């Protein structure tokens, strides 16, 4: 994958600090202030979780925080939106593994 290397507002990417983080026990590099979703996409990772019922892969959908398709577990905190969460040095990110409580209740009521 590639990134925008020179942006009129954000500047030149090579001038930004690199940070390391883990996703599903594999180490990746991201630029400081990059979201988890952007960093994973730039590293070629498209699947962030699987659908709880069908098992189909899920990834980035809206990328603005409206949907819950990009939810992952960050440092033990489940249901974190990858598109809204900034990568931090040493962060441990895992594929999304469970439904948010409100959605879980809706599924159970069916």
């Amino acid at each position: 994958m590639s990134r925008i290397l020179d942006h009129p507002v954000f500047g030149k990417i090579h001038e930004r600090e690199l940070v390391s983080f883990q996703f599903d026990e594999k180490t990746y590099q991201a630029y400081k202030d990059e979201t988890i979703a952007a960093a994973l996409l730039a590293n070629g990772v498209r699947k962030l979780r699987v659908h709880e019922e069908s098992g189909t892969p899920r990834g980035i959908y809206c990328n603005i925080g409206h949907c819950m398709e990009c939810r992952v577990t960050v440092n033990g905190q489940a249901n974190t939106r990858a598109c809204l969460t900034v990568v931090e040095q040493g962060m441990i990110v895992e594929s999304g593994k469970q439904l948010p409580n409100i959605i879980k209740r809706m599924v159970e009521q069916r």
Side-chain angles (χ1 to χ4, degrees):
M1 282 318 273
S2 62
R3 292 179 168 100
I4 296 171
L5 302 177
D6 188 4
H7 190 277
V9 174
F10 301 119
K12 296 181 187 308
I13 199 160
H14 69 271
E15 296 172 352
R16 294 170 60 195
E17 180 184 339
L18 279 173
V19 296
S20 296
F21 71 103
Q22 285 186 16
F23 179 70
D24 287 345
E25 300 181 3
K26 185 174 178 186
T27 301
Y28 293 95
Q29 296 286 308
Y31 285 97
K32 188 174 181 195
D33 299 325
E34 198 167 44
T35 65
I36 295 168
L40 289 172
L41 187 61
N43 280 284
V45 177
R46 295 184 182 279
K47 183 177 112 179
L48 303 180
R49 67 180 189 88
V50 295
H51 189 272
E52 291 81 357
E53 292 179 7
S54 67
T56 56
R58 296 291 194 247
I60 301 165
Y61 182 68
C62 76
N63 206 32
I64 57 173
H66 285 282
C67 73
M68 294 290 289
E69 292 299 317
C70 68
R71 66 184 181 270
V72 294
T73 299
V74 177
N75 296 332
Q77 178 65 47
N79 300 315
T80 303
R81 292 181 190 148
C83 71
L84 297 178
T85 306
V86 174
V87 173
E88 295 176 5
Q89 178 65 37
M91 181 179 272
I92 297 175
V93 183
E94 300 170 278
S95 298
K97 307 244 187 289
Q98 65 185 47
L99 288 169
N101 288 334
I102 191 166
I103 296 174
K104 187 185 291 184
R105 284 195 299 271
M106 291 170 57
V107 170
E108 290 169 353
Q109 290 175 355
R110 283 199 259 171

